[in-house]
Structure formats: C-alpha cells, structure tokens
C-alpha cells in the first residue's frame, strides 16, 4: 500500500467504506496470525522516571505523583500470577528508572527464567547498551520502545533529552534487533502537532524497520503535563491535526495489520480506556491479536497513571484476568497457548 492510499484511508469517514477496511484487516489477521489472542501479563514495576516527556503523567516534573518501585519479591509474586493464569509472557514495564540497575534486574530476569517457562518482555525506556546486553544475556526475550512519532521536530518538542545525551529511539531499535531481542515499538495517535502526513509516515516506518510488534494507542491528555494543559497551542493548523479518537486509532491498527501481516499487534489499554464498552473488541476485530492484562498489585495501579482514568485501574489481577478472557471468548476468539512469539521475527530468522 502506497502513502497516498494510507492517507486516503486515514481521512475516510464513510462508514460503509470503513467496513471494507475492517473486513480486510480482520481477514489479513486471521490468515497470518490466526484466531489466537496471546495474553501478556503487564507488571508496572516502577513509576519513577528520569524523563520529562510532555505528554506523560509520570514525567519527573509531575511532583503530584507518589512514586514507587516494586521489590524483587513483589515482582516474583506477580510473575506467579502469570503462571497461574496460563500466560506465556510477562512484561516488565517502568518509567526510565535508573534505580532499576543493570545487576538488580539481571538477577530478577534469571529468577523468573529459573522458576517459570515464560517469555520476558522489557519496557524500561532508553537504557544503556551494557544494560540491554546484560538483560538479553540473562534471558530477556523482547524489548518494547515506542518511537511515538516519526516527525523528528515533534518528537524533540515532547521528549526533552537527558542532559548531555541525544534521544535516538531508532538507533536503539536497531541495536535491540542486533542484540537479538524481538523488537516492539509503536506510536500514539492524536498527539497535538501530529499531522495526517506524519501518521502515514509512521505506518510506513513500521514496515521499513520490520518491527516485530507494534503498539498503537490514542493520545489521552493528562492534566499534569505541558501538552495536556495546552493542546490548542500545539495543534496542527488547517484540518491537518490527527484526532486522538477510537476511530482513528482503529484505522491505524487496521492499516498496520494490512502492511505488516505477520507482526503482533496489541489491542491497547489506552484504546480500552477511551471506549470502555467495546474498545478492546474493536482493536481485536480490526487487526489486533494480543491483549496485555494488568498484573500490577492493586495498591500501585493508580500510581502508574501515564494518562488519566486508565482502564484496569479499579481492578485487581484476578478481575482483569477473567474479564479479558471472557471478552475474548465472547468474540469467538481463542486464548493463545505458548509464548506467542512474533511470527514476523520467526519468519525473518528462518
Ligand atoms: N496518552 C496515551 N498514551 C501515553 N503514553 C504515555 N503517555 C500517554 C498519554 N498521555 C504511552 C506512550 C508510552 C507508553 C508506555 O504509554 O506511548 O510509550
């Protein structure tokens, strides 16, 4: 699919036309990754963050946040829940927390690998090369780092770098691939200042970089952030601003599935947050094949507030688990068995 066609779809409003997009993306999903929906148990290990991203509720500049970091034992307890619920993967996610040291996490990765037959995904921000290497060697399988937007000027505006460093997520993504990680990335849809042209470029980059999994969620304004407080000042002029709607997010999911048939695509929590009734289902029926139920202990959940009113904030792990499984079954889809490795990566390596 060429850029002009992507742009046309992104701007299409007609429901009957969109039905053909949904049908096509669902067919491509079924033919390439099947009916299985793989579950990844998300453990939000720490909300401490060194970075000051303009959109994110746990940015260092948001002094209203009560900070936490889970202990190794707490993490292991959450991992046990993943085993109990039959998940194939745990995702350890945190702010860019340098209190999560190379050696501390290396030990935890080894402990998980010794006790459970699980894939481990890390989502810990822009970390140093020696850290990524050590974690990979200890057995971590995958790494998630969204590039958020391919518009460099917009990226720079909303991602102040750490002093003396350049933030180059594409460079890190290439490095992760080289080290042998299964590589995940993604974007937010509707960032103030993101144009339709930018969004089409993002989708083309997923393909060009041959990323193994892509997370796509709507941008949700957070009042404790510069971008959340002044959306209009940052928006694109003249009808070029992408809306952060459920519909636009689903279009990006569908187009991504059509362009990258073998990758894993989660139906994201952000999508489930802006449409609590059927956001998850819409993601899954328009190209997604992954869901990430939250395993974070109840007491920490509302503290990991990257955006407001996050779905699953008011549940414990048991409730998230059964609610998500019920919804998948009700759609006639199958809970995935095994680790759910990316068919895209397996295909590339083969
Ligand atoms: N709205 C939507 N998504 C957000 N993220 C961070 N802040 C927000 C927000 N306000 C997403 C980013 C990040 C992921 C972990 O959460 O894309 O990569």
């Amino acid at each position: 699919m060429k850029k002009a066609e992507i742009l046309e779809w992104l701007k299409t409003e007609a429901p009957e036309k969109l039905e053909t997009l949904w049908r096509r993306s669902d067919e491509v999903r079924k033919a390439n990754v099947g009916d299985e929906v793989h579950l990844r148990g998300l453990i939000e290990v720490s909300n401490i963050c060194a970075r000051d991203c303009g959109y994110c509720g746990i940015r260092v500049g948001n002094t209203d946040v009560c900070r936490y970091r889970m202990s190794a034992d707490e993490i292991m307890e959450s991992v046990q829940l993943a085993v109990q619920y039959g998940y194939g993967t745990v995702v350890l996610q945190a702010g860019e927390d340098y209190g999560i040291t190379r050696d501390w996490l290396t030990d935890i990765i080894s402990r998980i690998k010794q006790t459970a037959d699980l894939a481990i995904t890390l989502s810990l921000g822009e970390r140093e090369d020696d850290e990524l290497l050590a974690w990979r060697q200890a057995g971590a399988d995958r790494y998630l780092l969204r590039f958020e937007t391919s518009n460099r000027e917009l990226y720079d505006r909303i991602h102040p770098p750490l002093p003396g460093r350049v933030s180059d997520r594409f460079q890190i993504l290439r490095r992760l691939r080289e080290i042998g990680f299964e590589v995940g990335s993604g974007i937010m849809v509707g960032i103030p200042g993101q144009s339709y042209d930018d969004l089409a470029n993002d989708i083309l980059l997923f393909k060009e970089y041959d990323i193994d999994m892509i997370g796509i969620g709507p941008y949700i304004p957070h009042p404790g952030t510069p971008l959340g407080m002044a959306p209009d000042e940052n928006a694109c002029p003249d009808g070029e601003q992408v809306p952060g709607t459920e519909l636009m997010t689903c279009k990006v999911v569908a187009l991504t599935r059509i362009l990258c048939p073998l990758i894993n695509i989660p139906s994201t929590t952000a999508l489930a947050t802006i449409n609590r009734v059927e956001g998850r289902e819409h993601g899954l029926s328009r190209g997604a094949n992954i869901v990430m139920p939250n395993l974070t202990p109840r007491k920490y959940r509302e503290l990991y507030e990257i955006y407001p009113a996050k779905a699953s904030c008011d549940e414990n792990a048991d409730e998230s688990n059964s609610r998500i499984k019920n919804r998948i079954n009700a759609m006639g889809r199958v809970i995935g068995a095994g680790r759910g490795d990316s068919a895209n990566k397996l295909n590339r390596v083969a």
Side-chain angles (χ1 to χ4, degrees):
M1 196 185 291
K2 295 272 187 330
K3 184 166 171 183
E5 195 186 337
I6 295 178
L7 275 169
E8 204 178 307
W9 277 120
L10 292 175
K11 293 184 176 178
T12 299
E13 300 280 340
E16 65 284 0
K17 274 205 175 156
L18 287 172
E19 281 308 319
T20 66
L21 180 64
W22 308 146
R23 206 172 320 120
R24 194 167 147 200
S25 61
D26 200 40
E27 279 166 14
V28 173
R29 186 269 309 158
K30 194 176 168 69
N32 288 276
V33 293
D35 280 338
E36 288 196 321
V37 177
H38 294 282
L39 302 179
R40 323 294 203 199
L42 177 65
I43 310 176
E44 293 154 336
V45 171
S46 158
N47 69 352
I48 299 170
C49 193
R51 302 295 291 272
D52 213 18
C53 303
Y55 49 88
C56 181
I58 62 169
R59 60 203 292 272
V60 64
N62 187 359
T63 50
D64 291 338
V65 180
C66 173
R67 304 286 171 169
Y68 74 88
R69 181 183 307 123
M70 289 170 68
S71 69
D73 287 341
E74 284 175 322
I75 295 171
M76 292 310 294
E77 279 168 32
S78 295
V79 168
Q80 280 316 313
L81 290 177
V83 174
Q84 192 183 315
Y85 299 147
Y87 301 165
T89 302
V90 282
V91 181
L92 307 183
Q93 188 176 82
E96 208 166 289
D97 175 7
Y98 289 93
I100 296 178
T101 61
R102 185 188 65 188
D103 296 348
W104 183 76
L105 191 67
T106 300
D107 279 350
I108 291 175
I109 294 168
S110 310
R111 268 176 82 179
I112 298 174
K113 286 286 170 177
Q114 277 158 21
T115 53
D117 185 20
L118 289 170
I120 300 178
T121 303
L122 304 178
S123 177
L124 304 169
E126 300 169 36
R127 303 293 305 234
E128 295 292 340
D129 205 62
D130 67 302
E131 300 173 317
L132 300 175
L133 272 168
W135 297 336
R136 174 79 188 125
Q137 273 159 16
D141 301 274
R142 312 182 185 131
Y143 202 99
L144 296 180
L145 183 68
R146 290 189 180 176
F147 61 77
E148 315 292 1
T149 170
S150 59
N151 175 336
R152 183 74 215 191
E153 192 271 324
L154 173 59
Y155 181 86
D156 286 341
R157 204 168 349 126
I158 61 180
H159 291 93
L162 287 176
R165 293 223 228 154
V166 182
S167 170
D168 186 349
R169 293 193 174 183
F170 288 103
Q171 195 271 325
I172 301 175
L173 290 170
R174 283 192 294 270
R175 184 66 184 142
L176 289 165
R177 158 75 52 82
E178 215 169 78
I179 295 174
F181 279 104
E182 190 180 302
V183 179
S185 192
I187 56 162
M188 288 180 290
V189 173
I191 307 168
Q194 182 184 48
S195 67
Y196 286 94
D197 197 68
D198 294 334
L199 196 51
N201 287 334
D202 295 344
I203 297 170
L204 288 168
L205 271 180
F206 297 155
K207 184 161 183 64
E208 186 184 321
Y209 268 74
D210 195 20
I211 309 264
D212 302 313
M213 44 187 168
I214 294 289
I216 298 155
Y219 161 72
I220 303 174
H222 189 298
T225 63
L227 214 55
M229 283 184 291
D232 300 341
E233 284 166 35
N234 293 287
C236 298
D238 306 331
E240 266 310 299
Q241 174 63 47
V242 169
T245 55
E246 191 207 2
L247 184 68
M248 191 57 63
T249 305
C250 285
K251 288 185 196 178
V252 180
V253 167
L255 293 164
T256 301
R257 171 58 69 200
I258 293 166
L259 264 93
C260 312
L262 289 172
I263 68 170
N264 283 332
I265 303 180
S267 181
T268 55
T269 306
L271 185 59
T273 298
I274 57 169
N275 179 353
R276 287 191 174 248
V277 183
E278 22 180 28
R280 281 270 188 233
E281 284 81 353
H282 284 165
L284 286 171
S285 63
R286 294 165 179 179
N289 67 322
I290 301 279
V291 175
M292 296 166 67
N294 199 324
L295 292 177
T296 311
R298 182 73 178 77
K299 63 178 173 183
Y300 297 132
R301 284 191 186 205
E302 54 234 18
L303 304 178
Y304 199 83
E305 194 193 61
I306 48 189
Y307 48 80
K310 217 175 74 183
S312 87
C313 242
D314 48 355
E315 302 171 338
N316 62 29
D318 245 8
E319 290 160 341
S320 298
N321 175 57
S322 44
R323 187 201 294 238
I324 282 171
K325 283 182 178 161
N326 288 340
R327 294 175 87 155
I328 292 168
N329 288 327
M331 290 180 75
R333 298 276 282 274
V334 184
I335 308 289
R339 295 165 29 128
D341 288 318
S342 170
N344 193 64
K345 180 174 190 220
L346 298 173
N347 185 52
R348 186 176 49 248
V349 174

